[in-house]
Amino acid sequence: MPEAGATIGRMCGIAGLAGKTTGRRAVLERISADLIHRGPDESGVFDDDWVSLAIRRLSIIDVVGGHQPYRNEQDTVHVVFNGEIYGFLKLRERLERAGHGFASGTDGEVIAHAYEEYGTDFVSELDGMFAFALWDAERGRLIVARDRLGKKPLFYCHHDDGTLSFASELGALLLDERIEREVDTSALAEYLQYGYVPSPRTILRSVRKLEPGTMLTWERSGGLELRRYWELDFEPKLSLSYAEALDEFEARSLTAVRDRLISDVPLGVFLSGGVDSSYILAQMIAAGAPDVQTFAIGFPESRYDERSYARKIAEVLGSTHHEAVVEPTDLVSMLPELVHHYGEPFADPSAVPTFYLARWAREQITVALTGEGGDELFGGYYRHQAARVAGYADRLPAAVRGLAGSGAGRLGSELAHPMSARHKLYRFLKSIELEPGERYAEWTAVLSPEERAALTPGLPRAARFAPPGRAHSTLDRALAVDLARSLPDQLLVKMDIATMANSLEARAPLLYYRLVEWAARLPVAFKQRGRTRKRLISDALARHVPMELFKRPKMGFTAPIPAWLRNELYELTTDTLLGEASRSRGIVDGASIERLISEHKNGIEHTRGLWSLLMLELWFQEFIDRNPARREHSASSV
């Protein structure tokens, strides 16, 4: 725990403009005002001849202290910071011994002094979740960096004249009217493949996401450089027994939870009743957190309702538990907000309950711990299990694997139906002859190759992802892809937007980067064995609660969108996707859309495809059609 007077936690929105441009300060003020939901408690601005920086602050600790921007003693280095630096007191002590003086007890102030002491390698000294901008006035250098796992977002545009704009959210950044709103067709193809736009692209050709573990440097000359300062390796494997790994995981995760319990405002946990969030709650109790508040939501449809599981976990562990029910009317009223806050097309249906959960929980707490990362670290998805099994099949001759693929087609249309109990087997057999990277891309796809070809015949093929770092087994390669792509660009985006739109801070202890590095190098058998997924974290949770409370088929945190698309959302979906605005874009084939809507209405499952197309068209209407300064070619270019 920090000593008296220490301050940690700056959940904020940051923005900035670099370079000499007319009206720079006025543009920055508009962007900052649009980020007020990320920081309703305070704002701050730094402005000189070359750079303007802005911060919106949500106070978590020392609510009357820690004003930003931070600066060094000589007033030559200035920092705006979104996030938290854990264990910053040890770094501060080292910096003080080196002669640096501090004006406050805040965690963010160490960024300025670490830069002075360690130069451009300073980001590697920081442990936490963050996006920050640092201006070195003497060198004419602006450094913008994002944390290793991508918990905090950052969008930027490097203009043709060499100037730079950046902000925590795309929608706010677009208030810089110099930014062209021309849709990137490659990004659009990737969205329709995966349901989100992977970094570094955004849906707009002129804007980029700063990738996790990356540092951007802008010089007064207008030059820009990107450099990765961290990458995850799965090799070499650790040499330890399973019992030793279980003890080590408990110790490391407890440390991560303790660091994330620091708060002067009400704190709780999002509890689904699944393994990951239940384990976080257990470790919070073990760490001595007082009066932990837990929040669970459900739906009238029992198939999507996990409240009973969460309730039992809360009773055993002793939290103060709260429950709520999401009705279809809640979604309809919330949909315009979702589209606006996400800033890009975003097709993860679980964004709906997550947004609702964050809004409801914010009535009682300001900080929520979550279980994000458990599936990606320990192989919790069915596709991870399939990837491991496919690794054995890859040793067979291509001709033998081809027989499995052709055999899937002969099994009949019943298996091909997405709602079939054996549909996962069908998809596995159908793709077994593909190259591993292409195969995994198809398993994570929103639309099948045939559906994509019929719906969007004019779009290019989406790029598949190569696993970064060293990863040898098929399971590790799948985890490497998810940790580099779907985790930062889908799951963490979903949580960041849902919570920050409602002025709530989310903390993910399982994504403590040293825990992630350690888990990556565990033997595959510690993560999955036989039909058991997430072996290590499940066995760790069994030390705290009876296994029968969480040992069940994975449900996933989502909403009954399939039924809502047939009923409460049917009219909206039909009017939106078959309306004149959608047809005139020329992106999606109208006849194919009509077929999908009709088939879904009659019981043939097309939820993921219809939801992704609905969110795409609503995004166009919000950010392209309603933009008074839009360029005529923006929509027609795709």
Side-chain angles (χ1 to χ4, degrees):
M1 300 290 285
E3 63 189 16
T7 306
I8 184 172
R10 294 289 175 269
M11 289 301 103
C12 309
I14 65 171
L17 289 89
K20 292 189 174 182
T21 58
T22 304
R24 188 182 65 204
R25 176 66 179 264
V27 173
L28 184 70
E29 288 176 350
R30 290 202 302 272
I31 295 174
S32 176
D34 196 66
L35 293 170
I36 190 170
H37 54 278
R38 297 186 76 94
D41 298 324
E42 185 183 34
S43 64
V45 173
F46 168 79
D47 193 40
D48 72 3
D49 290 341
W50 284 96
V51 165
S52 297
L53 305 175
I55 180 75
R56 301 290 322 197
R57 179 190 177 203
L58 172 64
S59 300
I60 303 299
I61 293 181
D62 186 13
V63 295
V64 297
H67 304 293
Q68 294 194 49
Y70 302 117
R71 62 184 184 179
N72 65 344
E73 303 98 316
Q74 295 77 31
D75 202 28
T76 58
V77 175
H78 298 263
V79 176
V80 289
F81 162 56
N82 172 20
E84 296 178 354
I85 306 298
Y86 300 113
F88 76 97
L89 286 175
K90 292 181 181 178
L91 175 57
R92 173 176 169 157
E93 288 171 1
R94 282 163 39 204
L95 293 169
E96 287 177 328
R97 287 196 298 269
H100 296 270
F102 287 77
S104 72
T106 62
D107 59 332
E109 193 179 356
V110 301
I111 297 173
H113 297 287
Y115 168 71
E116 291 181 296
E117 184 67 21
Y118 303 111
T120 55
D121 292 330
F122 75 114
V123 185
S124 298
E125 301 292 328
L126 305 177
D127 167 23
M129 57 176 180
F130 54 78
F132 66 80
L134 179 150
W135 171 238
D136 182 341
E138 286 188 337
R139 293 178 175 85
R141 173 194 293 163
L142 178 72
I143 294 176
V144 182
R146 194 174 172 206
D147 66 72
R148 296 166 179 82
L149 277 302
K151 299 171 191 173
K152 295 285 100 180
L154 204 291
F155 296 83
Y156 70 94
C157 177
H158 191 210
H159 302 277
D160 292 339
D161 61 2
T163 59
L164 179 75
S165 307
F166 63 87
S168 294
E169 294 183 6
L170 178 58
L173 184 60
L174 293 180
L175 293 176
D176 183 345
E177 295 179 354
R178 298 174 298 161
I179 297 176
E180 294 277 353
R181 301 196 184 195
E182 180 182 353
V183 171
D184 184 337
T185 53
S186 295
L188 186 57
E190 290 182 335
Y191 167 76
L192 291 171
Q193 169 91 14
Y194 302 111
Y196 61 93
V197 180
S199 299
R201 286 193 177 98
T202 73
I203 193 65
L204 299 178
R205 200 178 294 274
S206 58
V207 180
R208 287 289 180 266
K209 300 183 187 87
L210 187 62
E211 292 189 272
T214 301
M215 184 172 73
L216 176 155
T217 302
W218 177 89
E219 305 284 352
R220 257 192 312 239
S221 62
L224 185 142
E225 178 185 61
L226 294 170
R227 178 173 70 85
R228 290 197 70 87
Y229 66 87
W230 183 81
E231 191 165 68
L232 183 63
D233 274 335
F234 287 73
E235 303 287 343
K237 290 301 182 185
L238 299 171
S239 178
L240 74 172
S241 69
Y242 185 72
E244 290 171 333
L246 200 56
D247 290 340
E248 182 72 7
F249 174 64
E250 285 265 76
R252 286 175 179 265
S253 60
L254 185 61
T255 296
V257 167
R258 279 185 176 137
D259 284 346
R260 287 152 184 80
L261 290 178
I262 303 165
S263 177
D264 283 342
V265 293
L267 183 147
V269 61
F270 292 166
L271 185 65
S272 69
V275 171
D276 303 333
S277 62
S278 298
Y279 183 68
I280 294 302
L281 174 59
Q283 290 292 59
M284 291 172 71
I285 301 298
D291 188 26
V292 178
Q293 309 289 307
T294 51
F295 298 85
I297 61 171
F299 302 91
E301 298 87 342
S302 60
R303 179 183 171 187
Y304 297 89
D305 196 346
E306 294 185 281
R307 284 177 297 161
S308 62
Y309 304 115
R311 190 182 311 128
K312 291 175 183 177
I313 293 289
E315 288 173 356
V316 169
L317 292 175
S319 65
T320 301
H321 192 58
H322 311 271
E323 294 182 359
V325 177
V326 183
E327 301 286 351
T329 51
D330 297 319
L331 168 62
V332 175
S333 63
M334 197 181 294
L335 206 51
E337 283 188 89
L338 281 172
V339 174
H340 174 78
H341 280 295
Y342 277 96
E344 287 191 281
F346 191 76
D348 186 341
S350 63
V352 176
T354 304
F355 198 92
Y356 183 94
L357 175 61
R359 172 156 297 177
W360 168 60
R362 182 61 177 88
E363 296 174 3
Q364 300 180 68
I365 60 173
T366 310
V367 178
L369 271 65
T370 74
E372 256 70 31
D375 290 307
E376 290 74 19
L377 290 181
F378 299 107
Y381 298 127
Y382 288 110
R383 66 175 184 261
H384 295 151
Q385 193 171 33
R388 178 172 59 86
V389 173
Y392 303 121
D394 287 340
R395 302 171 187 172
L396 300 173
V400 176
R401 288 186 284 116
L403 289 175
S406 59
R410 292 195 297 270
L411 289 175
S413 59
E414 188 273 332
L415 276 183
H417 193 293
M419 296 305 290
S420 165
R422 293 184 290 167
H423 179 65
K424 291 183 177 66
L425 173 62
Y426 169 81
R427 290 187 69 186
F428 178 83
L429 293 174
K430 192 170 184 293
S431 62
I432 198 66
E433 60 184 319
L434 299 176
E435 181 272 332
E438 185 178 358
R439 179 172 62 216
Y440 197 68
E442 292 305 324
W443 288 347
T444 58
V446 170
L447 297 165
S448 71
E450 296 78 15
E451 286 175 322
R452 291 197 300 275
L455 282 165
T456 57
L459 286 181
R461 182 182 177 87
R464 67 175 181 83
F465 304 136
R470 288 179 294 171
H472 295 164
S473 72
T474 51
L475 174 59
D476 280 347
R477 288 200 294 270
L479 297 179
V481 168
D482 282 356
L483 283 162
R485 295 302 176 195
S486 62
L487 179 73
D489 292 329
Q490 181 184 14
L491 299 180
L492 293 178
V493 167
K494 173 185 66 180
M495 186 60 68
D496 177 79
I497 293 296
T499 52
M500 295 308 297
N502 295 290
S503 302
L504 177 71
E505 176 193 333
R507 299 173 178 174
L510 293 176
L511 293 178
Y512 168 40
Y513 85 94
R514 293 195 181 278
L515 175 59
V516 171
E517 290 175 334
W518 176 82
R521 295 178 56 203
L522 288 172
V524 167
F526 290 8
K527 302 171 187 178
Q528 290 188 356
R529 186 175 66 174
R531 299 179 64 182
T532 301
R533 303 185 309 278
K534 282 202 293 196
R535 180 188 175 197
L536 191 73
I537 191 171
S538 296
D539 286 347
L541 178 58
R543 291 179 167 184
H544 300 270
V545 300
M547 186 172 287
E548 58 266 22
L549 293 186
F550 62 87
K551 203 69 172 178
R552 64 181 190 277
K554 186 177 182 65
M555 288 181 65
F557 186 54
T558 189
I561 304 293
W564 292 356
L565 285 171
R566 295 185 179 98
N567 299 291
E568 291 85 357
L569 288 176
Y570 177 75
E571 185 175 345
L572 172 66
T573 302
T574 302
D575 291 346
T576 301
L577 294 182
L578 299 180
E580 179 59 31
S582 177
R583 291 180 182 274
S584 66
R585 299 190 206 287
I587 300 173
V588 183
D589 178 71
S592 296
I593 285 285
E594 289 189 53
R595 177 182 59 80
L596 254 62
I597 293 175
S598 174
E599 289 182 355
H600 188 82
K601 181 70 172 176
N602 290 300
I604 299 177
E605 178 65 28
H606 291 301
T607 298
R608 296 184 71 191
L610 285 175
W611 184 253
S612 65
L613 293 168
L614 175 62
M615 298 304 285
L616 175 64
E617 177 55 28
L618 291 174
W619 176 85
F620 264 106
Q621 293 179 13
E622 173 71 13
F623 287 96
I624 302 299
D625 298 350
R626 294 178 187 171
N627 168 35
R630 71 183 185 273
R631 309 296 190 261
E632 289 301 320
H633 65 271
S634 294
S636 62
S637 64
V638 298

